[in-house]
Amino acid sequence: MLIALAALCLYTLMALLTYDPSDPGWTHTSRIDQIHNAAGRAGAWLADVLFMALGYFAFIFPLLLGVKTWQVFRHRYMPWEWSGWLFSWRLTGLVFLILAGSALAYIHFHADAHLPASAGGALGESLGQLALSALNVQGSTLLFLAVFLLGLTVFTDLSWFKVMDLTGKITLDLFELIQGGASRWVGNRSERKRLASQLQDDEEYYDDEALEVEEEPQAAIKREPKKARERIIVPVELDDEVEMPQQRSAPAAPVAERAVAEKPQMARPAPQINIPTPAPAPKAVEPKRYVPPATHFVDSAIEGTIPPISLLDPAEKKQQSFSPESLESMSRLLEIKLKEFGVEVIVESVHPGPVITRFEIQPAAGVKVSRISNLAKDLARSLAVFSVRVVEVIPGKTTVGIEIPNEDRQMVRFSEVLESAEYEASKSPVTLALGHDIGGRPVIADLAKMPHLLVAGTTGSGKSVGVNAMLLSILFKSTPEEARLIMIDPKMLELSIYEGIPHLLCPVVTDMKEAANALRWSVAEMERRYKLMAAMGVRNLAGFNRKIKDAEEAGTPLTDPLYRRESMDEEAPLLKALPTIVVVVDEFADMMMIVGKKVEELIARIAQKARAAGIHLILATQRPSVDVITGLIKANIPTRMAFQVSSKIDSRTILDQGGAEQLLGHGDMLYLPPGTGLPIRVHGAFVSDDEVHRLVEAWKQRGAPDYIEDILAGADEGGGSFDGSGGGGGSEGEEDDPLYDEAVRFVTESRRASISAVQRKLKIGYNRAARMIEAMEMAGVVTPMNTNGSREVIAPSPVRD
């Protein structure tokens, strides 16, 4: 039996070592005459079957046969007894050993081209894929390693205590050998030094004339007596052990260069892990002074102040839920998964954040970015995460970004964004605190530079919370003298909570007809401001306010140049600084559905011209379709903010590119600043309803709103103002208007009941023309507005003389 086991062991090893894919085997056929396998045709079949089933782990069979041969040799004098239970136990260990070993070979090794299957064979591949999908690489390795050791112990009857004893004995013997060698080396070195010193003392008795016989060596001895003698005088009895310095110094540099050249390089460099550092606490800033109107009763304790940030919920102390080891392991796993899809990459750096972690990968030469982008869903499935976003272009880098969600998502509190130094340093009254970027740094934007913002996202994506965060950013930054708000809320739930704050120009609008009037007033106010700035010789609102302030400080306040005097005794009112106006529409899809194309034209007109006048739009919708976000609106609103959407088509509607469909929801957004085509991923700050209520109550205690009645009533162009100056004509309405008869004649002759046509024909304002058309509707000249926004002319054409 001993000889049979030994022969079988050698035969199996020979068959495996001389395996040739061209030989006939179980997985393929071949008609060659000469078999390359040293074990013959049977050996070729045996090697092919083993490599197909187990891959590289097939070499365990000759190894186990060798172990069994050694065990039989050790127990050759003992009587052989058959034990069915022991045989079953050993067989179970062999099965565990083969299963676990082949799975480990598949997970951690890659097969060569000549193997018929993977590194772990068909068996290892099936088990490895099943384990990786459930336990990932670390868990699978731990499980199979434990099963492998169990099977090895059971099959070979291995005693780990004996292994530990043998390891300890070898370690102690090795230490004794090293210690003995070191002691002998120190002793020999001391002996060499002693002999060299003795010979040097003997040579000092030599005659100086004798030393001059040989000029070159003796001159060297005189110049460097000690170094020269060490190079020349060497004890004869130690000649075999001592290497002369002359022989050692010459090849030193080539050997060092060759050693550096032959040093093995790492297959994968360790990725650079950029762990964000907490930002320093901002310096305390004195709050701005707000003086409410004298007619409003306020609490003297809080009079003239802006509400403190302490009204918000404090941010929890965040603990890092990652370690450099786990990030490096995740980097290797990402490389493995991409390699499974045929994409060779190297993870160069890792940027962990509160919600997601960005892995910057360097693709191999010739790999297109689109190939990696198309694998986003496959990567999410193989990594068992919700979604994976591929950042195709990172400015200033040649790498590609892979953004993977963290297992423990941290909440970004609104208070920690407002307490940042970036928010405190911003001087704009319409500063917006959006949240944190992927590295945990605050993202602050200026609405005055946008100058208009389009927000879109599905229900539950955090859009309304994001709009509340923007509004609270303005309320914590500016007084009513610096910023005023017009809020349009078709749903009557989101923005109605702000009713009664002093920043409002009118009550929160819930009727869509009043919303159209509010937009018309905004257009009229924009035109009035442009006329004022043109008369004052300034280019924007900031220059206008600066000129007003300089004139007031100089003691020569300016008067309104557009004021129309009705008598010589009247004096023009003084000009005052104009606030920035922010028009917020929470769901403008409903407004466009009810009012029609008129709203689209008004929005486009404000978006085109209102930047210099200090009027800005924030439009939000949960239905990002092309019939809501039309081309006219998109062309005039450059700044976009996309929360999670349901499809790539919706993402393209908002951002003109994909990516929003891969967001995580709950405030995760893509922010597209003006003038760039690369969106920034921002984790929106969370604002609770209690925080909004506390701030609203704080502003209500500081003053009451000063509404302008003409906003919702539909004032004519130039009719609305903040200081009561600068009126415009056109206060007449309906059929009392002196141009009403001319407008009726034009409508009945042209058979076009269009507000814009009447406006161009009579050269009047939009609101005045709209009131004339409404008066014609009441008089039965035209029909009410159809669903498409058009009207039909009912009255007959006038009879010509």
Side-chain angles (χ1 to χ4, degrees), residues 516-637:
N517 291 335
L519 293 176
R520 293 191 189 99
W521 181 90
S522 301
V523 173
E525 177 65 15
M526 174 187 68
E527 297 292 344
R528 188 187 73 87
R529 290 190 175 193
Y530 274 121
K531 292 177 182 178
L532 276 176
M533 290 187 289
M536 298 295 295
V538 295
R539 299 181 59 184
N540 50 38
L541 183 65
F544 177 83
N545 289 338
R546 190 183 307 113
K547 193 167 186 178
I548 296 297
K549 183 179 179 180
D550 294 343
E552 291 177 351
E553 292 177 353
T556 57
L558 302 176
T559 58
D560 187 0
L562 303 180
Y563 181 73
R564 299 178 181 178
R565 299 181 180 180
E566 296 181 359
S567 64
M568 296 300 296
D569 298 334
E570 294 182 359
E571 295 182 358
L574 300 178
L575 289 177
K576 297 181 180 178
L578 298 175
T580 301
I581 299 177
V582 181
V583 181
V584 184
V585 184
D586 183 58
E587 184 53 69
F588 74 96
D590 293 343
M591 183 172 62
M592 290 187 65
M593 183 182 299
I594 296 174
V595 183
K597 289 291 183 180
K598 292 189 296 183
V599 172
E600 181 182 4
E601 295 175 359
L602 294 172
I603 291 175
R605 190 174 180 190
I606 295 174
Q608 287 173 352
K609 296 179 58 177
R611 175 177 183 177
I615 301 176
H616 308 285
L617 293 173
I618 298 179
L619 305 179
T621 181
Q622 64 181 5
R623 189 160 63 90
S625 57
V626 293
D627 59 337
V628 175
I629 306 177
T630 61
L632 185 61
I633 294 177
K634 289 177 61 177
N636 292 284
I637 301 182

Side-chain angles (χ1 to χ4, degrees), residues 187-199 235 238:
N188 293 336
R189 184 179 182 185
S190 301
E191 184 67 15
R192 289 197 301 269
K193 287 184 177 180
R194 186 185 65 80
L195 292 176
S197 178
Q198 184 178 357
L199 290 174
L238 299 177

Side-chain angles (χ1 to χ4, degrees), residues 287-366:
K288 298 179 182 178
R289 305 295 294 177
Y290 160 55
V291 181
T295 57
H296 300 149
F297 172 77
V298 296
D299 190 351
S300 59
I302 60 175
E303 181 179 357
T305 63
I306 287 182
I309 301 179
S310 58
L311 292 174
L312 302 175
D313 296 335
E316 299 86 356
K317 186 177 181 181
K318 298 180 180 179
Q319 297 181 354
Q320 293 182 352
S321 58
F322 50 82
S323 62
E325 292 78 11
S326 63
L327 294 177
E328 185 173 357
S329 176
M330 191 65 182
S331 303
R332 301 305 174 219
L333 178 61
L334 181 60
E335 293 177 356
I336 293 173
K337 293 301 181 183
L338 284 172
K339 190 172 184 180
E340 291 178 357
F341 295 108
V343 180
E344 291 280 351
V345 300
I346 297 177
V347 178
E348 289 194 349
S349 62
V350 184
H351 302 270
V355 178
I356 60 107
T357 299
R358 173 182 286 182
F359 296 84
E360 295 186 1
I361 62 174
Q362 185 67 51

Side-chain angles (χ1 to χ4, degrees), residues 188-217:
N188 293 336
R189 184 179 182 185
S190 301
E191 184 67 15
R192 289 197 301 269
K193 287 184 177 180
R194 186 185 65 80
L195 292 176
S197 178
Q198 184 178 357
L199 290 174
Q200 182 179 0
D201 295 337
D202 294 338
E203 287 179 355
E204 289 178 358
Y205 293 96
Y206 290 173
D207 191 12
D208 293 339
E209 295 179 357
L211 294 176
E212 297 176 358
V213 176
E214 297 180 2
E215 296 180 358
E216 294 297 330

Side-chain angles (χ1 to χ4, degrees), residues 397-654:
K397 297 183 180 180
T398 60
T399 54
V400 179
I402 305 291
E403 296 178 350
I404 301 177
N406 297 338
E407 293 183 1
D408 299 327
R409 178 172 180 174
Q410 299 177 358
M411 179 181 293
V412 180
R413 285 286 181 181
F414 188 58
S415 57
E416 59 183 317
V417 183
L418 293 191
E419 291 172 353
S420 63
E422 290 83 354
Y423 181 79
E424 293 291 343
S426 179
K427 302 300 182 182
S428 173
V430 286
T431 300
L432 304 182
L434 303 181
H436 283 174
D437 62 3
I438 61 173
R441 295 175 293 271
V443 179
I444 308 299
D446 186 5
L447 183 60
K449 296 180 180 179
M450 290 185 181
H452 311 288
L453 176 61
L454 178 62
V455 185
T458 59
T459 303
S461 61
K463 173 180 60 65
S464 298
V465 177
V467 173
N468 283 331
M470 299 178 204
L471 292 175
L472 263 64
S473 303
I474 298 174
L475 296 180
F476 273 113
K477 195 71 176 179
S478 58
T479 64
E481 283 73 26
E482 295 173 331
R484 301 297 292 271
L485 301 173
I486 296 178
M487 297 186 182
I488 301 174
D489 184 14
K491 294 186 292 187
M492 297 180 288
L493 296 174
E494 298 294 340
L495 301 181
S496 299
I497 190 176
Y498 296 96
E499 190 69 66
I501 62 174
H503 293 75
L504 291 178
L505 282 171
C506 63
V508 178
V509 181
T510 57
D511 187 356
M512 290 304 98
K513 292 184 178 180
E514 294 181 348
N517 291 335
L519 293 176
R520 293 191 189 99
W521 181 90
S522 301
V523 173
E525 177 65 15
M526 174 187 68
E527 297 292 344
R528 188 187 73 87
R529 290 190 175 193
Y530 274 121
K531 292 177 182 178
L532 276 176
M533 290 187 289
M536 298 295 295
V538 295
R539 299 181 59 184
N540 50 38
L541 183 65
F544 177 83
N545 289 338
R546 190 183 307 113
K547 193 167 186 178
I548 296 297
K549 183 179 179 180
D550 294 343
E552 291 177 351
E553 292 177 353
T556 57
L558 302 176
T559 58
D560 187 0
L562 303 180
Y563 181 73
R564 299 178 181 178
R565 299 181 180 180
E566 296 181 359
S567 64
M568 296 300 296
D569 298 334
E570 294 182 359
E571 295 182 358
L574 300 178
L575 289 177
K576 297 181 180 178
L578 298 175
T580 301
I581 299 177
V582 181
V583 181
V584 184
V585 184
D586 183 58
E587 184 53 69
F588 74 96
D590 293 343
M591 183 172 62
M592 290 187 65
M593 183 182 299
I594 296 174
V595 183
K597 289 291 183 180
K598 292 189 296 183
V599 172
E600 181 182 4
E601 295 175 359
L602 294 172
I603 291 175
R605 190 174 180 190
I606 295 174
Q608 287 173 352
K609 296 179 58 177
R611 175 177 183 177
I615 301 176
H616 308 285
L617 293 173
I618 298 179
L619 305 179
T621 181
Q622 64 181 5
R623 189 160 63 90
S625 57
V626 293
D627 59 337
V628 175
I629 306 177
T630 61
L632 185 61
I633 294 177
K634 289 177 61 177
N636 292 284
I637 301 182
T639 308
R640 320 281 174 76
M641 187 178 294
F643 291 83
Q644 185 188 32
V645 295
S646 57
S647 65
K648 195 171 185 178
I649 297 176
D650 293 342
S651 178
R652 291 186 179 276
T653 303
I654 308 167

